[in-house]
Amino acid sequence: MRARLPAHSRRAGGRARGRRTGGVVRAGQSQRGHGRGADHPAPAPIASHSKTFTATAVFQLVEAGKLRLDDTAGHWLPELGGSPAADMTVRALLGHQSGINRDGADSDYWQQRHAFPDRQTLLDFARAEAVFPQNQHFKYSNIGYGLLGLIVEAAGGEGYGDYIQTHITGPLELTDLGAELPPEREAELATGHGARLFGNDARRTLPSSDTRALAAATGFYGTAEALTAYWARHTLGRDGLLSDASKRLMARRESEITKPTRRGYGLGLILDEIGGRGLVGHSGGFPGHITQSWLDPKTGLSISVLTNTLGGPATEWAGNLIRLIDLAHKNAGKTADTAHNLDSFTGRFANAWGLFDIVNLGGRLVALTPLGDPSASAVELTVQDANTLCPEPEGGFGSVGEPYHFQRAENGEIQWVRQGGGRSWPLEAYQAGAELD
């Protein structure tokens, strides 16, 4: 999980800390036995994030005068002649408005029953009858983006992976981001885990897959750090990849999507809004991995969450991380009216009912529940004395308005905190059985 803040935000003095849990890559360790250390986390498949790179490559070629958005697929891929795919435009393919099938007639490669399509198989899948007429419905398609990869090769004059390295990841010096992980780096890749059909099922570990001709749709690998650096270059006003005119066109709402949630799609970008922020980004699902990235193209805030398990809550966590950052920024302009050290009250606390955190967000103390939208559970706290915090008055079902009383050891460390009559202990102490003392 990684958040890249714009420069003015990093200077604000706020402090954010993350805890990797569940199916997230832990401390950069590849479970294939080659840990890379916390400062060099393991790369993971980022699946449909690949589409944003393909769209970026297309727009680079458009800017260079080598490709047009209204070019047809058949213009660049004569093998499609005589099929509905021949008349599909680059723009329709980018925006999932072509009507082409999603994954081909036999997509059990997603269950790792056989190999991903090679070029000929991709073209065979693409030549099938279209599901919808062009520009009638948003219809997500990996086959369509596979064709765009072939078009990038034809218009760019080099292999797809070579083009990405030469024009995108290479210039940005992102060595942990690419179109397909080289075989010699296979041992570095984070291990994926299968879905649970029932709550107590053991998760199966899943091998990696070479996506072959579908690399442009789903083959990329990366780390959260490399991804946020890439996304930051899509910020308006930043150079290195595309002009602002191309960025705006990519982010123009081509389609309105209503299932499973309401959001939009541009040309290679998912469009959404969280807390008043207009966001662009993409999600990704691959055997054993669920991922999500968001960028605020106006401020440069970029978020990437990579989980190495099917069913991983990457989209939920990415959204909640944005909400948490916004909550910290909301407090950044406030000043705590106390001489006490705010950090002396902070920590994660546990009791028989669960967990809560007391955190220093931009110079103000806030109590949070580490589940769901942090702003929904946030309670601002005011220091009354060295051992007492008072919550902001409000109505609610919990122990609203009742102070937090801290019991400390002689060295000042928190032994427990009592709020609403009940005690909670620092998490480590609770896990060690301190509540039984």
Side-chain angles (χ1 to χ4, degrees):
M1 181 159 45
R2 184 80 176 185
R4 184 175 296 271
L5 300 175
H8 70 274
S9 299
R10 294 196 295 269
R11 291 194 295 268
R15 182 177 298 175
R17 290 185 178 147
R19 184 180 295 270
R20 295 181 175 92
T21 59
V24 177
V25 177
R26 293 177 181 269
Q29 287 280 336
S30 163
Q31 295 181 33
R32 288 193 169 89
H34 294 265
R36 294 170 17 133
D39 294 331
H40 198 190
I46 56 175
S48 287
H49 281 74
S50 309
K51 294 176 175 68
T52 74
F53 293 86
T54 300
T56 299
V58 166
F59 273 90
Q60 287 180 338
L61 291 167
V62 169
E63 289 184 358
K66 297 180 178 180
L67 183 62
R68 298 186 305 166
L69 293 180
D70 59 358
D71 282 348
T72 63
H75 172 78
W76 292 101
L77 304 172
E79 304 99 313
L80 296 175
S83 73
D87 294 327
M88 295 172 183
T89 66
V90 169
R91 182 169 190 149
L93 291 167
L94 284 170
H96 299 291
Q97 286 281 350
S98 69
I100 198 170
N101 65 80
R102 190 183 197 277
D103 292 305
D106 181 356
S107 61
D108 279 344
Y109 51 87
W110 282 115
Q111 302 190 70
Q112 299 182 317
R113 297 294 181 126
H114 56 74
F116 272 72
D118 58 15
R119 178 190 172 98
Q120 187 56 55
T121 303
L122 168 62
L123 292 169
D124 289 344
F125 284 163
R127 287 178 58 85
E129 287 299 314
V131 179
F132 298 127
Q134 193 167 200
N135 295 315
Q136 185 180 80
H137 294 290
F138 176 86
K139 176 162 179 46
Y140 195 80
S141 176
N142 289 308
I143 298 301
Y145 264 79
L147 294 180
L148 287 171
L150 299 184
I151 291 171
V152 168
E153 290 185 338
E158 56 187 318
Y160 178 80
D162 293 334
Y163 182 94
I164 296 297
Q165 167 63 29
T166 302
H167 298 276
I168 299 179
T169 59
L172 299 184
E173 299 181 345
L174 298 175
T175 58
D176 279 336
L177 194 60
E180 194 78 61
L181 189 71
E184 62 271 18
R185 296 186 59 185
E186 175 73 17
E188 300 175 34
L189 196 67
T191 300
H193 296 81
R196 283 179 170 150
L197 301 183
F198 301 98
N200 295 324
D201 286 355
R203 293 189 184 274
R204 294 186 301 118
T205 58
L206 301 178
S208 61
S209 295
D210 184 341
T211 59
R212 308 211 289 177
L214 286 186
T218 192
F220 274 66
Y221 67 93
T223 62
E225 182 171 10
L227 263 176
T228 55
Y230 160 75
W231 281 109
R233 291 304 185 105
H234 280 275
T235 305
L236 295 172
R238 289 203 64 179
D239 57 12
L241 286 178
L242 294 171
S243 68
D244 280 1
S246 291
K247 294 172 189 174
R248 290 191 178 96
L249 187 52
M250 286 179 68
R252 182 176 294 171
R253 211 173 192 88
E254 295 279 305
S255 300
E256 190 72 28
I257 307 161
T258 58
K259 293 181 179 180
T261 59
R262 182 174 292 278
R263 54 180 47 173
Y265 202 91
L267 297 177
L269 297 172
I270 295 174
L271 315 177
D272 208 347
E273 181 179 305
I274 295 177
R277 287 182 183 267
L279 302 172
V280 301
H282 223 288
S283 55
F286 199 77
H289 301 265
I290 300 294
T291 56
Q292 177 71 60
S293 291
W294 290 120
L295 167 72
D296 180 342
K298 293 182 178 179
T299 68
L301 172 66
S302 55
I303 304 284
S304 288
V305 177
L306 315 183
T307 69
N308 61 334
T309 178
L310 293 178
T315 298
E316 177 187 358
W317 286 0
N320 287 336
L321 187 53
I322 291 173
R323 295 180 180 99
L324 183 60
I325 290 169
D326 285 345
L327 184 63
H329 279 211
K330 176 183 175 183
N331 281 346
K334 301 179 181 179
T335 302
D337 185 18
T338 180
H340 294 285
N341 178 12
L342 298 185
D343 289 339
S344 69
F345 295 92
T346 61
R348 172 160 287 184
F349 302 94
N351 58 42
W353 289 79
L355 300 170
F356 69 91
D357 296 320
I358 296 178
V359 296
N360 180 353
L361 286 182
R364 297 283 288 183
L365 291 175
V366 178
L368 298 168
T369 300
L371 292 172
D373 179 355
S375 63
S377 66
V379 177
E380 289 200 27
L381 305 171
T382 301
V383 178
Q384 179 174 312
D385 57 45
N387 295 309
T388 310
L389 298 177
C390 293
E392 289 292 309
E394 62 178 346
F397 286 99
S399 302
V400 295
E402 300 184 39
Y404 294 69
H405 296 290
F406 290 77
Q407 176 70 34
R408 299 181 185 273
E410 290 185 2
N411 64 1
E413 289 187 1
I414 298 169
Q415 294 178 310
W416 47 260
V417 57
R418 188 185 296 276
Q419 200 265 339
R423 284 190 297 172
S424 300
W425 292 260
L427 177 59
E428 293 79 6
Y430 183 82
Q431 291 175 320
E435 81 283 4
L436 301 177
D437 294 343

